[in-house]
Amino acid sequence: MSNESDRNEGAAEEMGGKLKKGLGKLLGDEQMEAEGRAKELKGRVQQEDAKADERARGALEEAAGAIKNRIGKLVDNEQMAAEGKAKELRGEDRQKANQ
C-alpha cells in the first residue's frame, strides 16, 4: 500500500472514530465513545506512520543527492552536480511536506 493511501486510510479511520465517539457521547454509551476514541487514535497513528516513512525516504533522497552533487563537483561534471543538487532539494522538500 502506498503512503498516500495509508494517510488517506488513516484520515478516514480518524474521521470514523470521531463520528463514533460523538455518537456514543450523544447516546450516553460509554463503550461506543471509548471505541470511537480508540479508532480515532488508530487513524492518527496510521497517518503519522506514513509521514515518518516519507520523511525517512526524503532523508535518503537528500543524502544520495548530496553525494552525487559532491562527486559531480569533484570530477568537474556540472550536469552530475546539478542533478545531485536537484535530488537533494527534492529530498528536503519531501521531508518538509511530511512534518
Side-chain angles (χ1 to χ4, degrees):
M1 189 177 298
S2 75
N3 279 330
E4 189 65 33
S5 63
D6 280 345
R7 286 177 76 173
N8 291 337
E9 187 179 304
E13 184 85 12
E14 181 181 3
M15 181 60 69
K18 285 181 180 183
L19 290 171
K20 188 171 187 174
K21 180 179 77 175
L23 186 59
K25 193 171 196 171
L26 183 69
L27 297 174
D29 186 335
E30 291 179 7
Q31 182 170 345
M32 180 184 279
E33 189 176 345
E35 288 171 358
R37 178 74 176 142
K39 188 173 182 174
E40 179 182 359
L41 292 174
K42 179 182 173 192
R44 283 188 194 169
V45 167
Q46 189 171 4
Q47 291 175 78
E48 288 303 317
D49 185 48
K51 287 169 43 175
D53 189 44
E54 281 298 306
R55 285 192 301 270
R57 289 175 193 224
L60 287 173
E61 185 174 24
E62 179 184 5
I67 291 168
K68 186 173 183 176
N69 179 13
R70 301 319 182 274
I71 291 172
K73 288 180 179 180
L74 186 64
V75 298
D76 202 28
N77 183 329
E78 289 182 24
Q79 181 176 349
M80 179 186 269
E83 289 171 356
K85 186 63 177 176
K87 187 171 188 169
E88 185 177 356
L89 293 173
R90 280 193 310 271
E92 288 175 7
D93 288 342
R94 190 177 206 172
Q95 291 175 77
K96 288 177 187 174
N98 288 285
Q99 288 185 340

